[in-house]
Amino acid sequence: MKSTGSWYEVLHNENRVKCRVRGNFRTKGKVFTNPVAVGDIVDFIIKKEENTGLITKVHERQNYIVRKSINLRHRAHIIASNVDLALLVITISSPKTYPIFIDRFLVSAKAYNIPVQLVFNKVDLYSKKELAQLSDLESIYNKIGYPSIRVSAKEKINIEELKLLLKDKNSVILGNSGVGKSSLVNAIDANLSLKTADISHYHGKGKHTTTFAEIFQIENGGFITDTPGIKGFGLVNLEDENLATYFNEMLELQSECRYYNCTHTHEPDCKVIASLKTGDISESRYRSYLSMLEEDVIGKYRN
Ligand code: GDP
Ligand code: ZN
């Protein structure tokens, strides 16, 4: 449920057991910098005399999301594992969420096999023009298989509908800072605002300073992971793969391109480019693709 680096809280029969990790859980030489992440299913033994536990095994992860380690280039930190749903909170303004941010997120989610729900927040404050932009985004993303919902944490719009989407799932909430993630979590379950005000989260002046993820139980079933300070998740080892296969609409058309390994950039008889011309593929999605492709190439030279 929670990790502070040396201690882990494990949910067991509705109780939380404070655990350490067995010493031979070495992370040296492994891809990940942390041996246990929130969302992991673990085995542990109770040390009766201390009333604490010792984690002895981490079960195979159904999926996980990672953040690249800042110091260790080729290693990654697991933010959360066994995620049923990633909520990407998007705002049209205050602050504006850029399409490249959304698309990078969707590529990561696809690579890590995590279902996504787009959540357009702050619908209470948009102008007519911004609402039109919102509709455009909805049609772009709904068409390629990503569901979306319009909400307002402030005016409590569609919060019940959002709760239904989270019911009995282990969800992670992500998005740029200021889009309303904390506000939404509080709107989903008012008890959680009390929990985030827990003394252990505060240092001195009452400022939220922890950067460790924590899972909260939602009152009507399900879990939600709060990842303070983490906007999205990064990709590890995508370089060798074909980026286009992580764009749903391109994957679908790939077999109609002349070349099986078409990059959809300069090749003749490319169905993706043809669809771009007819408007069946969105320009903003294609722009994101090109910019990610370029980074990918640059990344290769850097290595
Ligand atoms: P976080 O950084 O993503 O956790 O965002 P916060 O929950 O801290 O919200 C950032 C700011 O946006 C705060 O001032 C909130 O009051 C405001 N905010 C959050 N949700 C809404 C909303 O639905 N409508 C409006 N108008 N403001 C909101
Ligand atoms: Zn092509």
Side-chain angles (χ1 to χ4, degrees), residues 184-229:
L184 280 170
V185 169
N186 293 342
I188 287 161
D189 186 343
N191 295 320
L192 296 182
S193 57
L194 297 178
K195 280 186 192 143
T196 49
D198 185 322
I199 285 180
S200 66
H201 286 111
Y202 283 79
H203 292 274
K205 293 163 296 218
K207 205 168 166 273
H208 197 263
T209 52
T210 176
T211 51
F212 291 103
E214 178 166 3
I215 299 184
F216 295 100
Q217 268 178 294
I218 310 171
E219 60 182 349
N220 58 346
F223 298 95
I224 192 154
T225 304
D226 179 32
T227 56

Side-chain angles (χ1 to χ4, degrees), residues 42-246:
V42 299
D43 289 350
F44 68 100
I45 49 176
I46 295 270
K47 295 167 109 185
K48 280 233 168 61
E49 63 284 7
E50 293 167 27
N51 222 356
T52 60
L54 189 66
I55 294 173
T56 56
K57 180 183 170 177
V58 175
H59 289 230
E60 195 183 332
R61 297 173 174 123
Q62 169 200 309
N63 62 27
Y64 51 79
I65 62 181
V66 305
R67 172 163 51 86
K68 275 187 186 169
S69 168
I70 299 154
N71 325 316
L72 304 155
R73 271 191 54 94
H74 297 286
R75 297 178 74 192
H77 178 89
I78 304 186
I79 303 168
S81 82
N82 300 315
V83 176
D84 296 316
L85 188 66
L87 299 177
L88 177 61
V89 183
I90 299 168
T91 45
I92 307 302
S93 64
S94 3
K96 177 178 164 69
T97 301
Y98 289 91
I100 181 72
F101 178 81
I102 302 173
D103 296 328
R104 219 186 288 265
F105 182 97
L106 296 178
V107 164
S108 301
K110 182 129 177 131
Y112 287 105
N113 199 17
I114 296 168
V116 174
Q117 171 72 47
L118 304 178
V119 179
F120 293 105
N121 189 32
K122 307 200 185 184
V123 295
D124 58 281
L125 58 74
Y126 298 143
S127 66
K128 250 199 176 135
K129 194 176 153 216
E130 287 165 341
L131 284 172
Q133 290 168 1
L134 171 52
S135 297
D136 287 345
L137 285 180
E138 283 168 335
S139 64
I140 288 173
Y141 291 105
N142 294 167
K143 193 174 144 198
I144 55 171
Y146 295 104
S148 65
I149 183 171
R150 296 182 177 202
V151 300
S152 165
K154 190 179 173 208
E155 302 297 334
K156 306 277 182 291
I157 298 169
N158 270 345
I159 299 299
E160 289 308 313
E161 287 75 4
L162 181 60
K163 277 188 192 173
L164 277 180
L165 296 173
L166 302 183
K167 194 165 163 47
D168 299 329
K169 293 196 182 94
N170 179 28
S171 310
V172 173
I173 187 160
L174 294 159
N176 283 320
S177 72
V179 294
K181 296 182 294 296
S182 323
S183 307
L184 280 170
V185 169
N186 293 342
I188 287 161
D189 186 343
N191 295 320
L192 296 182
S193 57
L194 297 178
K195 280 186 192 143
T196 49
D198 185 322
I199 285 180
S200 66
H201 286 111
Y202 283 79
H203 292 274
K205 293 163 296 218
K207 205 168 166 273
H208 197 263
T209 52
T210 176
T211 51
F212 291 103
E214 178 166 3
I215 299 184
F216 295 100
Q217 268 178 294
I218 310 171
E219 60 182 349
N220 58 346
F223 298 95
I224 192 154
T225 304
D226 179 32
T227 56
I230 296 162
K231 297 172 179 183
F233 46 100
L235 286 167
V236 174
N237 294 337
L238 189 68
E239 286 94 314
D240 302 329
E241 312 271 349
N242 184 353
L243 179 64
T245 62
Y246 298 99

